[in-house]
Amino acid sequence: MSTSSKQSHPADFRRRAVKPVKGARKPVTGEMSSLRAKNLLLKGQNALLEKAAANFRNVFDNVHQFTGLLSPEGMLLEINRSTLKFAGVDSQQVIGRPAWDMPWWGKSDDARKLVKRAVADAIAGHRVRVELDVVGSGGQIRTIDTFCKAICDDAGRPTLVIVEGRDVTNFKNAERELRETHDFLQAIIDNLPVGVFVKDAAA
């Protein structure tokens, strides 16, 4: 065999190796552009979702009301900064614990039982409203007008319980003072030695 014949085989093999396969699909420039556009769209949507989540967290934390989210089993999933600040605790100390097993109930077993029943009623589909006394970090006691309501999925199954509490301590104190003043004045009137009646000025 001649030298020229030996040298021709490798070159011929290389030509066959790089020969395009029939029916092979070449990348289309338009499809690549479409994929890039979809990726950019997804990135934009993710950025919007992250921003929305950050905005929700910011609003949630800065609401002055006592606000929390519970699992259907009554475990605390989320709680806002106002509640943590009042109680003087970190989120790590309370997240994952039952709602009725929180430091702000103090030593009141009645409050714990009331909370447990309120969560159960909310899971059962009722909108619950109860007044609860909570104990702050300095021992201060505040009266909280509390609402519990379950959030359900499309099948009607409860997935979360929203708990909202409004501080009504000042209102309750004013109400009590007004009642005490009324009772005091009524006692004076009842013990006067002369008859007293109230007449409508327009009559």
Side-chain angles (χ1 to χ4, degrees):
M1 184 179 290
S2 66
T3 305
S4 60
S5 175
K6 289 181 180 179
Q7 292 176 344
S8 65
H9 289 295
D12 183 55
F13 175 77
R14 284 194 299 270
R15 283 195 297 272
R16 288 199 305 272
V18 298
K19 185 178 180 180
V21 179
K22 286 186 178 181
R25 193 168 177 274
K26 295 181 180 180
V28 180
T29 303
E31 289 183 357
M32 296 298 292
S33 298
S34 177
L35 286 173
R36 282 194 293 269
K38 287 180 180 178
N39 285 335
L40 288 174
L41 180 61
L42 285 173
K43 287 181 180 179
Q45 290 174 338
N46 286 336
L48 288 174
L49 287 173
E50 289 174 2
K51 185 176 181 181
N55 287 339
F56 169 78
R57 184 77 242 183
N58 191 36
V59 171
F60 184 76
D61 275 338
N62 285 282
V63 170
H64 291 299
Q65 294 188 157
F66 295 86
T67 309
L69 294 176
L70 309 178
S71 72
E73 296 75 30
M75 303 299 171
L76 186 65
L77 302 176
E78 291 283 354
I79 190 166
N80 70 333
R81 190 180 299 142
S82 296
T83 308
L84 294 173
K85 184 178 179 181
F86 170 80
V89 296
D90 295 325
S91 60
Q92 293 86 351
Q93 295 175 260
V94 292
I95 294 297
R97 290 171 57 181
W100 47 88
D101 183 28
M102 294 296 162
W104 47 81
W105 306 130
K107 297 180 180 179
S108 175
D109 290 333
D110 289 339
R112 297 175 193 278
K113 290 177 182 177
L114 188 57
V115 172
K116 195 170 186 177
R117 186 166 65 247
V119 173
D121 288 345
I123 290 297
H126 305 293
R127 181 174 173 83
V128 183
R129 181 178 182 180
V130 291
E131 279 189 3
L132 297 164
D133 287 338
V134 296
V135 182
S137 57
Q140 59 175 314
I141 298 176
R142 309 294 292 181
T143 301
I144 308 299
D145 189 18
T146 307
F147 295 85
C148 300
K149 183 181 179 182
I151 298 177
C152 299
D153 59 17
D154 294 338
R157 293 184 297 265
T159 57
L160 291 171
V161 175
I162 296 180
V163 180
E164 300 173 89
R166 183 168 57 96
D167 189 342
V168 293
T169 307
N170 294 338
F171 173 77
K172 300 295 287 187
N173 289 342
E175 187 180 56
R176 186 182 66 254
E177 290 173 6
L178 182 61
R179 185 171 59 252
E180 290 173 352
T181 301
H182 173 271
D183 293 344
F184 175 70
L185 293 175
Q186 187 64 50
I188 292 175
I189 292 173
D190 289 343
N191 288 281
L192 286 174
V194 294
V196 177
F197 68 94
V198 178
K199 183 178 182 296
D200 190 346

